[in-house]
Amino acid sequence: MLPLPVRAAPTSPGVRVRAGHADPSCTVRVAAADRAALWAPPLDRLVSLRVSDLTVREAVDRLAGVARLDLSYSADLLPPERRVCLALERVPVGAVLDHLLEGSALSPIVLGSAQVVLAPSRVSTGVPVATVSRRTSLLDRVVVTGSPDGAAQRGSPFALDVVDGAQLAEHGVSTLGEALELSVPGVWSWTTPAGSVTARYGSIRGASSFGVSAPKVYLDGIEVANPLLVTQLDPARVARVEVIRGPQGAALYGADAISGVVNILTRHDGTPDGQREVQVQAAAGVTSTAFAARDPFVQEHSLSLRRGSAARNVGLGVNVSTVGAYVPGAAERRLLLDADGRFSRQRAIYTGFSRLALQRANAASSIPLAVDSVGGQEMAQYTVGGSIAMMPSMQWTHTIIAGVDGYRLRGLSPYSLVGPQQLSAAAAVGSSEGAADRASVRVRTVGRFDVAPGALLTLTLGAEQAFTHEVTRGAMAGAVGAAAPLPVLGPGSGGPGGASAFAGLRATAASGASQTTYDNAGLLTQVQFAWQDRWFASAGVRGERIQGATPNAQHMALPMLGAAYVRDVGNTVVKVRSAFGTGIRPARTLLRSSSWMGQGQGILLSALDPEQQSGTELGVDLMLGGRVAVHVTRFDQRATGLIQPVSRVVTAVNSAGRLARTMAFTLQNVGAISNRGWEVEATARVRTLSLAATMTQVDSRVTRLALGYRGDLRTGDRMLDVPAHTVSVSAVWTHGRWMLTSTAVHAADWIGYDRTAVGALLAAGEQSPRGLEGNNLRQYWMRYGGVTRWRAGMQFRLRGDLAFTAAGENLLDVQTGAPDNATVIAGRTLTFGVRTTF
């Protein structure tokens, strides 16, 4: 990512520095400046710096190390011959940078809690002086998810959230779902239960699919093959997580961005002195459970190593964690490895990144359902790639991102299935295997032109090519082209866990492998026009071609329109924005084929209509003095073609060679779904206390049924497993050596299946297949009131960088009830540990 044009921050009064050619006797003193009045965090950090006869680049690198900033810039844009001599005492970082950058085209722009970009400042002669001299606000931070190569958030027409890695570390967040719930409204993920390695999203502005709803996930700009497998995060290695909610991002990111885009960006900063820096953290404890004989042991250990300056650096991270069997037979082990490097030279920045995640989760007995153990899940997910960002002139920026992402998955969790009729398929799915590798190349060219005084035109041209190879074995490859039969149900079947119950399904599983190749190509054009740094208009379209998902290639156009108005009034910034977008997901994707829904459904999936979602959002952002921010968004989206597994009764030959009634499922398009609601997020900082809150209200409802649909939904019904209300509240308090954190997330009011009742009937052999067919499933619907998860932490710095930590997860000890009454999650978890840097 290269920095982009934004406005300069003001020079701080009372700062006296001396600069010029060599002057070894430099003893200039600088008076302390007002920390809060003129500079947005982290530019308000007070530093003491003494340098003698250094180049501007050397001084900037020294400042970044002392202030512990992740500072990005293009070295050749700094004054090449200028040398500086400084003696500073407790001066804001912004004031020092403002002086060091004097005479260049660069200005400091806030990116996050510790990230700053030195960006070329392109101010037309017609821009009023008051606009040029306004101070930096959070709207000026550069984000890469809303633009191909990074742009100031000020002109973005849609809601875009940035979760800082420092914020994740403060709250002890270790999963992507927790990171999104922490500060991103409109997104809710269910806690992963024992025996599962995949994520499950309950709502992303409502429903955009059944069972496999997920945003499109990128790791440092490289698309992952299966977003449901990206669950682990090491906060020590994450710089920030950027999120677009809704289909507006599809014009940039293409198919599968039907509900949103998440880009996880890793750290590429240097160390204070350019030498090696090692951060170590170790924690261990126990988690409570009502389903095992004793409370299991949990532990998590991480090691992060960095070396180099802001311009040239490398990093390495290792994270290991285990969770004991809080359900009999279930235990989890996780290993996360990653490495990165950055090198700046002339007018280009080269970045490399690699990641390997390994996870093993034993599929345990489900106490409420009395389902026997069916083995375990094993997952390996990797990403390798890099990027080159080039700025040959002040008008043009070129970006190339290339990489490979893939996974190896064995077994599917019986507790992440999407309906009660699938409960008795647990044993068969446990033997399934799948693998996929996705190679992609993205090329972007961005031009910026001063077309008139005070007017800036930004033109984006891009192309993307990706090839994906998928291999499935076992039950995942079986019964292609026909509805996959489920076991015989009813008296004498032996129950859902008995051998005879699964004999029919095992007989249909093919022992060979099924292979599929996907070819995705996209071309995009976007234009943004900015007037007086206040009015912004955006328009774009992406042409997408997908081959391999269906017998014939699919072609689609994904448009986006948006507008924003930003007004600075003293210390207050007001922004009004609106955007429209369209997203699409083909019926057959890696996301679906690696879930139970996709097993044995190859030809049927190809015959279905793709899932689509279009909609608008309207929002207002208000920032008061850099300490208080409020964001309100209204969204109105319409999803069509959502795919649901529908059960039906068929007559088939069982393992004994006799005709018997069995359950089968087929995938069907539901019709049209409306997703409407409100999103509110607010942040405030009062001295040493930081507060944040989000709230979402969503109404996800069936508005029309497709012809031929035979499932349990009716027009006017609420979508299943979508909470109507979600809330999160978090706080961080620091004082001296102490830091206390607390976060509570709450979801309320959703409709789901009474899976415990269904499981009990199946286990007793008291339910006939007809009772679980199509519309009859409505009798097992129930309303869930809500669930609250609360975590808290404490850190006490003993001396230097050595700190003692204590944390509590799920302090209310909620073990069932989300998303249904059959899923069991880990109870109250207490851990103690140490953290140090050397």
Side-chain angles (χ1 to χ4, degrees):
M1 180 196 72
L2 282 179
L4 294 192
V6 288
R7 303 299 180 243
T11 302
S12 178
V15 178
R16 303 192 312 275
V17 293
R18 192 174 164 191
H21 289 279
D23 184 3
S25 62
C26 174
T27 57
V28 178
R29 300 287 177 180
V30 181
D34 183 359
R35 175 178 181 177
L38 294 173
W39 301 99
L43 298 179
D44 61 350
R45 295 180 180 178
L46 298 181
V47 297
S48 297
L49 179 67
R50 294 175 180 271
V51 299
S52 178
D53 194 25
L54 295 182
T55 65
V56 173
R57 177 175 180 176
E58 291 171 332
V60 167
D61 287 345
R62 183 77 62 84
L63 175 64
V66 172
R68 293 185 176 274
L69 292 179
D70 179 0
L71 197 62
S72 300
Y73 62 91
S74 183
D76 66 324
L77 295 180
L78 294 172
E81 301 297 331
R82 183 182 173 211
R83 305 184 74 84
V84 296
C85 181
L86 305 173
L88 311 177
E89 297 291 340
R90 293 184 58 79
V91 176
V93 172
V96 183
L97 282 174
D98 192 53
H99 170 77
L100 292 177
L101 301 177
E102 183 180 353
S104 74
L106 300 177
S107 60
I109 302 301
V110 173
L111 185 68
S113 62
Q115 293 81 40
V116 175
V117 171
L118 304 185
S121 180
R122 300 174 50 82
V123 181
S124 302
T125 56
V127 177
V129 175
T131 302
V132 176
S133 63
R134 64 171 172 80
R135 73 180 184 181
T136 303
S137 74
L138 289 180
L139 286 182
D140 292 313
R141 63 185 173 188
V142 176
V143 291
V144 302
T145 301
S147 178
D149 66 337
Q153 194 174 353
R154 185 177 178 89
S156 172
F158 42 74
L160 201 158
D161 289 277
V162 181
V163 185
D164 291 317
Q167 184 181 7
L168 302 181
E170 288 175 346
H171 290 274
V173 171
S174 60
T175 70
L176 178 59
E178 292 174 343
L180 298 180
E181 291 167 356
L182 179 66
S183 57
V184 181
V187 181
W188 178 267
S189 64
W190 304 109
T191 301
T192 303
S196 177
V197 300
T198 60
R200 182 175 178 183
Y201 291 87
S203 175
I204 308 176
R205 283 189 172 177
S208 62
S209 189
F210 283 84
V212 294
S213 180
K216 196 169 187 177
V217 176
Y218 289 81
L219 294 171
D220 275 346
I222 301 168
E223 182 188 352
V224 303
N226 190 335
L228 293 179
L229 299 181
V230 181
T231 58
Q232 297 174 253
L233 289 180
D234 184 353
R237 304 285 296 138
V238 174
R240 63 193 182 278
V241 179
E242 299 180 353
V243 184
I244 296 177
R245 310 187 299 273
Q248 285 77 11
L252 274 176
Y253 294 96
D256 288 329
I258 183 173
S259 58
V261 178
V262 173
N263 195 3
I264 303 170
L265 300 165
T266 59
R267 293 177 54 187
H268 300 294
D269 55 326
T271 62
D273 55 4
Q275 300 303 308
R276 183 183 62 187
E277 180 179 89
V278 180
Q279 181 177 337
V280 180
Q281 182 172 353
V286 295
T287 182
S288 63
T289 177
F291 301 94
R294 60 182 179 179
D295 294 341
F297 180 73
V298 299
Q299 60 181 332
E300 182 173 2
H301 313 293
S302 65
L303 169 69
S304 178
L305 182 149
R306 295 214 65 80
R307 182 168 185 169
S309 65
R312 302 182 182 184
N313 56 76
V314 294
L316 175 68
V318 181
N319 185 282
V320 180
S321 62
T322 65
V323 179
Y326 57 87
V327 173
E332 301 178 34
R333 299 190 299 271
R334 306 184 185 112
L335 173 64
L336 181 62
L337 303 171
D338 65 85
D340 71 277
R342 170 171 288 182
F343 175 70
S344 300
R345 181 179 178 84
Q346 297 298 324
R347 296 177 178 268
I349 298 177
Y350 304 86
T351 304
F353 168 76
S354 63
R355 179 181 190 268
L356 175 64
L358 304 175
Q359 188 171 353
R360 162 80 184 189
N362 293 330
S365 300
S366 171
I367 301 299
L369 299 178
V371 177
D372 291 341
S373 178
V374 294
Q377 284 190 289
E378 293 181 354
M379 184 274 294
Q381 185 265 328
Y382 73 92
T383 308
V384 178
S387 65
I388 304 174
M390 299 170 287
M391 182 177 279
S393 67
M394 292 294 292
Q395 285 75 36
W396 292 99
T397 302
H398 312 301
T399 305
I400 302 175
I401 302 176
V404 180
D405 181 273
Y407 67 85
R408 304 294 183 267
L409 176 64
R410 185 183 71 82
L412 295 174
S413 171
Y415 310 123
S416 61
L417 307 181
V418 293
Q421 71 273 33
Q422 288 95 37
L423 290 174
S424 50
V429 299
S431 62
S432 302
E433 296 182 12
D437 301 284
R438 185 183 191 278
S440 62
V441 177
R442 298 166 58 203
V443 180
R444 302 287 191 269
T445 294
V446 180
R448 300 171 184 84
F449 310 96
D450 293 314
V451 295
L456 178 67
L457 179 68
T458 302
L459 173 65
T460 300
L461 303 174
E464 182 173 358
Q465 179 66 63
F467 295 96
T468 306
H469 183 67
E470 176 194 14
V471 178
T472 57
R473 297 182 179 87
M476 294 176 70
V480 175
L486 294 183
V488 177
L489 303 177
S493 67
S500 62
F502 297 108
L505 182 55
R506 288 199 183 105
T508 65
S511 59
S514 172
Q515 302 189 35
T516 306
T517 300
Y518 302 88
D519 179 357
N520 289 58
L523 295 174
L524 68 91
T525 300
Q526 284 206 357
V527 176
Q528 184 185 82
F529 180 78
W531 174 255
Q532 298 290 337
D533 203 37
R534 292 184 179 180
W535 299 91
F536 302 87
S538 304
V541 64
R542 174 173 173 132
E544 192 87 357
R545 180 181 182 272
I546 303 175
Q547 190 170 7
T550 57
N552 299 317
Q554 294 178 302
H555 298 82
M556 59 204 72
L558 306 175
M560 189 278 290
L561 296 172
Y565 172 73
V566 184
R567 182 68 183 270
D568 298 86
V569 183
N571 292 335
T572 301
V573 183
V574 180
K575 176 180 178 180
V576 181
R577 52 183 165 76
S578 181
F580 166 83
T582 296
I584 192 169
R585 177 184 290 128
R588 188 176 186 183
T589 64
L590 288 176
L591 188 64
R592 183 168 286 107
S593 62
S594 60
S595 72
W596 189 84
M597 286 179 63
Q599 295 184 61
Q601 298 291 322
I603 296 178
L604 294 179
L605 282 168
S606 301
L608 293 172
D609 293 332
E611 297 175 327
Q612 301 185 56
Q613 184 166 216
S614 300
T616 60
E617 66 174 64
L618 177 65
V620 177
D621 303 324
L622 177 65
M623 276 136 286
L624 304 173
R627 302 297 178 182
V628 177
V630 180
H631 311 270
V632 180
T633 304
R634 167 69 180 181
F635 61 91
D636 190 339
Q637 302 168 179
R638 180 181 174 88
T640 59
L642 272 61
I643 297 172
Q644 181 190 29
V646 176
S647 58
R648 60 189 179 90
V649 177
V650 298
T651 300
V653 178
N654 61 19
S655 58
R658 299 177 181 177
L659 291 178
R661 292 176 301 167
T662 66
M663 291 295 297
F665 78 94
T666 184
L667 301 182
Q668 297 180 4
N669 292 121
V670 173
I673 310 296
S674 66
N675 293 311
R676 299 187 178 96
W678 292 88
E679 300 166 338
V680 180
E681 52 186 314
T683 59
R685 187 171 62 171
V686 182
R687 295 184 180 179
T688 59
L689 178 63
S690 297
L691 300 172
T694 69
M695 186 276 291
T696 304
Q697 182 276 323
V698 60
D699 183 27
S700 185
R701 198 171 294 272
V702 179
T703 59
R704 175 178 56 82
L705 293 178
L707 293 176
Y709 174 71
R710 296 294 182 267
D712 51 341
L713 291 171
R714 299 175 183 172
T715 301
D717 284 341
R718 290 174 53 188
M719 287 295 291
L720 302 178
D721 295 337
V722 177
H725 308 281
T726 58
V727 178
S728 74
V729 180
S730 62
V732 179
W733 178 76
T734 57
H735 180 72
R737 298 183 178 186
W738 290 92
M739 181 175 69
L740 303 179
T741 63
S742 181
T743 302
V745 293
H746 176 73
D749 188 13
W750 68 90
I751 305 297
Y753 293 111
D754 185 352
R755 291 179 61 179
T756 298
V758 175
L761 289 172
L762 291 174
E766 297 176 359
Q767 181 58 271
S768 68
R770 293 291 180 188
L772 298 178
E773 182 181 27
N775 191 60
N776 292 331
L777 279 173
R778 294 180 66 90
Q779 64 182 311
Y780 299 104
W781 284 14
M782 66 177 294
R783 188 168 185 169
Y784 289 85
V787 62
T788 301
R789 301 199 299 265
W790 176 33
R791 75 170 64 93
M794 178 275 290
Q795 176 178 301
F796 176 72
R797 185 165 50 85
L798 299 173
R799 58 182 178 84
D801 291 321
L802 177 62
F804 171 79
T805 63
E809 298 282 343
N810 192 10
L811 291 175
L812 299 181
D813 203 25
V814 177
Q815 299 182 39
T816 60
D820 51 57
N821 53 10
T823 300
V824 178
I825 63 174
R828 182 187 299 110
T829 303
L830 302 177
T831 58
F832 302 90
V834 294
R835 176 186 300 162
T836 187
T837 301
F838 56 89

